[in-house]
Amino acid sequence: MEVKHVDEREYGFFQILEKADPIGKIEYNYQGPTAINIKNTEVDSAHEGQSLGKKLVKYVMDFVKEKNLKLSVDCPFAKAIIHKNPEYQKMLSED
């Protein structure tokens, strides 16, 4: 599996590829120069149960930490993963 990250400074995503085929994706939007909002997480139904969604959330959280960004979350799946992890909770914006 390969991970692709596209960051366009207004919109970005992490995508998991298997043999060049996308099998999972998490999308975010920038909310100013130092904040992002996780909008959506998708995993191909043939690959459900492989923790790919959790891996995608981790990629975003590592990115947030590396870039020292503020984070908000609209995606219900990502929100549930983040609220189960105390380290991730610390990265959420207080807004």
Side-chain angles (χ1 to χ4, degrees), residues 48-93:
E48 289 178 358
Q50 298 177 21
S51 297
L52 297 180
K54 289 179 184 178
K55 289 177 184 175
L56 288 164
V57 172
K58 181 184 182 322
Y59 294 135
V60 172
M61 300 309 289
D62 289 347
F63 175 69
V64 166
K65 186 174 183 178
E66 175 187 324
K67 299 294 184 183
N68 196 29
L69 299 171
K70 294 180 183 177
L71 176 70
S72 59
V73 184
D74 286 342
C75 171
F77 176 82
K79 191 177 286 188
I81 297 301
I82 289 166
H83 283 289
K84 291 179 184 176
N85 185 318
E87 288 302 311
Y88 290 171
Q89 290 177 29
K90 294 176 189 175
M91 294 185 227
L92 289 171
S93 296

Side-chain angles (χ1 to χ4, degrees), residues 2-75:
E2 174 188 347
V3 177
K4 176 181 178 181
H5 182 207
V6 173
D7 184 45
E8 299 290 337
R9 291 306 299 162
E10 287 185 21
Y11 162 83
F13 64 87
F14 284 87
Q15 190 171 47
I16 298 176
L17 305 169
E18 184 175 73
K19 298 179 184 174
D21 293 324
I23 60 172
K25 184 177 186 179
I26 190 166
E27 300 170 292
Y28 59 87
N29 290 334
Y30 275 88
Q31 301 194 319
T34 61
I36 65 169
N37 178 272
I38 299 175
K39 301 304 263 179
N40 188 44
T41 307
E42 296 176 14
V43 173
D44 183 276
S45 60
H47 296 276
E48 289 178 358
Q50 298 177 21
S51 297
L52 297 180
K54 289 179 184 178
K55 289 177 184 175
L56 288 164
V57 172
K58 181 184 182 322
Y59 294 135
V60 172
M61 300 309 289
D62 289 347
F63 175 69
V64 166
K65 186 174 183 178
E66 175 187 324
K67 299 294 184 183
N68 196 29
L69 299 171
K70 294 180 183 177
L71 176 70
S72 59
V73 184
D74 286 342
C75 171

